[in-house]
Amino acid sequence: GSPEAPQLNTLLKLALTIVPSQGLAGKLGGCRDSDSRRPLRLTRDYASQRPLRRRNRKFLIKGSVAGGAVYLVYDQELLGPSDKSQAVLQKAEEVVPTAVYQFSQYVCEQTGLKIPQLPAPPKFNFHIRESWNSGIITVMSALSVAPSKAWEYSKEGWEYLKERTK
Amino acid sequence: MSDSELGRKWDRCLADAVVKIGTGFGLGLVFSLTFFKRRMWPLAFGSGMGLGMAYSNCQHDFQAPYLLHGKYVKEQEQ
């Protein structure tokens, strides 16, 4: 090598250190950006990006699924007045158990599996709705009478102790 | 307002709340899976929206005691 080459290298290094990182030295290919400490990417890597057609197809599928869900909610008026919601819930209570049973029968026929029949749930003769009101009334009346009853019992207990200590 | 009417209103409110929260949760789940990379916030947002709508419906129902609620009856074909 010529003696001028090392001098040019030292001059270039000096220029890169003196010139600010956002200036010309920062724009040169392969130079590091001192602020971000990441190499500048001057070219795009097209090989790593997915094809446009596949992305569009995926977006269409996702959009149709989401749009179908929104339309179903709108058609069934699930977010509408409370009367419609109550009717939908009653319809679901009637339809869902039979649908589940038919689906399980279909699965059993197709796969050959036998689902063991569960015993029937025990039937209680206790109606929660009918006894709820009476239960609340009983509890509230007991709470309202509690202070006077506590006073009476404490008075009776005090009289009893006085008689015993005489 | 009689007790039976009050009980029916509460039943309607609870049924409405269940349906609306479930619908909001379902929609939030769909959008979370399709567009929002399985994040949790669409589910919370949808459930909250459903709860708020149910609360608003209940509030209107209790504050308007003279509003009659009818039932849809299908006409019987002769």
Side-chain angles (χ1 to χ4, degrees), chain A residues 152-162:
Chain A
E152 279 178 26
Y153 292 148
S154 59
K155 198 176 173 184
E156 283 177 17
W158 179 249
E159 295 292 330
Y160 177 74
L161 281 172
K162 270 167 64 176

Side-chain angles (χ1 to χ4, degrees), chain A residues 62 80 82-86, chain B residues 12 16 20 34 57 69 72:
Chain A
K62 285 182 180 181
S82 53
D83 296 337
K84 301 277 173 65
S85 303
Q86 200 174 20
Chain B
R12 206 180 301 126
D16 193 32
K20 287 201 166 44
T34 51
N57 278 356
H69 289 274
Y72 291 96

Side-chain angles (χ1 to χ4, degrees), chain A residues 24-75:
Chain A
L24 181 64
K27 298 282 188 291
L28 293 173
C31 293
R32 275 191 177 267
D33 186 1
S34 62
D35 291 334
S36 65
R37 295 177 182 268
R38 281 182 299 172
L40 292 172
R41 209 188 288 181
L42 297 176
T43 56
R44 279 188 107 154
D45 188 11
Y46 286 101
S48 66
Q49 292 188 3
R50 286 174 286 174
L52 192 63
R53 209 181 285 174
R54 196 156 50 137
R55 274 193 295 161
N56 285 344
R57 203 189 312 160
K58 204 170 177 182
F59 180 76
L60 277 172
I61 292 169
K62 285 182 180 181
S64 56
V65 166
V70 171
Y71 178 73
L72 183 73
V73 168
Y74 168 75
D75 189 47

Side-chain angles (χ1 to χ4, degrees), chain B:
Chain B
M1 203 189 300
S2 63
D3 282 345
S4 60
E5 181 63 28
L6 195 65
R8 275 198 290 273
K9 279 183 190 271
W10 274 112
D11 286 345
R12 206 180 301 126
C13 277
L14 284 173
D16 193 32
V18 166
V19 169
K20 287 201 166 44
I21 291 171
T23 305
F25 184 83
L27 272 180
L29 184 70
V30 166
F31 276 94
S32 169
L33 290 174
T34 51
F35 295 114
F36 295 114
K37 296 176 186 175
R38 297 174 196 175
R39 299 272 170 85
M40 286 301 292
W41 70 263
L43 283 93
F45 184 74
S47 305
M49 283 271 289
L51 181 66
M53 291 166 85
Y55 184 84
S56 175
N57 278 356
C58 283
Q59 198 173 25
H60 284 297
D61 206 5
F62 279 108
Q63 284 178 355
Y66 304 110
L67 191 67
L68 294 172
H69 289 274
K71 285 184 183 177
Y72 291 96
V73 178
K74 285 185 183 177
E75 290 183 5
Q76 291 180 355
E77 291 177 10
Q78 294 181 353

Side-chain angles (χ1 to χ4, degrees), chain A residues 2-135:
Chain A
S2 60
E4 293 174 351
Q7 286 179 1
L8 280 172
N9 280 338
T10 50
L11 277 173
L12 189 62
K13 281 180 190 174
L14 193 65
L16 287 172
T17 51
I18 290 170
V19 173
S21 61
Q22 298 301 318
L24 181 64
K27 298 282 188 291
L28 293 173
C31 293
R32 275 191 177 267
D33 186 1
S34 62
D35 291 334
S36 65
R37 295 177 182 268
R38 281 182 299 172
L40 292 172
R41 209 188 288 181
L42 297 176
T43 56
R44 279 188 107 154
D45 188 11
Y46 286 101
S48 66
Q49 292 188 3
R50 286 174 286 174
L52 192 63
R53 209 181 285 174
R54 196 156 50 137
R55 274 193 295 161
N56 285 344
R57 203 189 312 160
K58 204 170 177 182
F59 180 76
L60 277 172
I61 292 169
K62 285 182 180 181
S64 56
V65 166
V70 171
Y71 178 73
L72 183 73
V73 168
Y74 168 75
D75 189 47
Q76 296 292 322
E77 295 183 65
L78 294 175
L79 295 176
S82 53
D83 296 337
K84 301 277 173 65
S85 303
Q86 200 174 20
V88 164
L89 201 63
Q90 280 175 358
K91 197 177 170 184
E93 279 177 18
E94 290 165 12
V95 167
V96 166
T98 51
V100 166
Y101 178 73
Q102 284 177 3
F103 181 72
S104 63
Q105 291 292 310
Y106 174 74
V107 166
C108 288
E109 283 171 18
Q110 294 294 320
T111 56
L113 291 170
K114 280 187 183 177
I115 296 173
Q117 282 191 352
L118 296 168
K123 286 186 182 179
F124 295 103
N125 206 15
F126 181 74
H127 298 282
I128 295 173
R129 283 186 182 181
E130 288 170 8
S131 56
W132 178 259
N133 285 343
S134 60

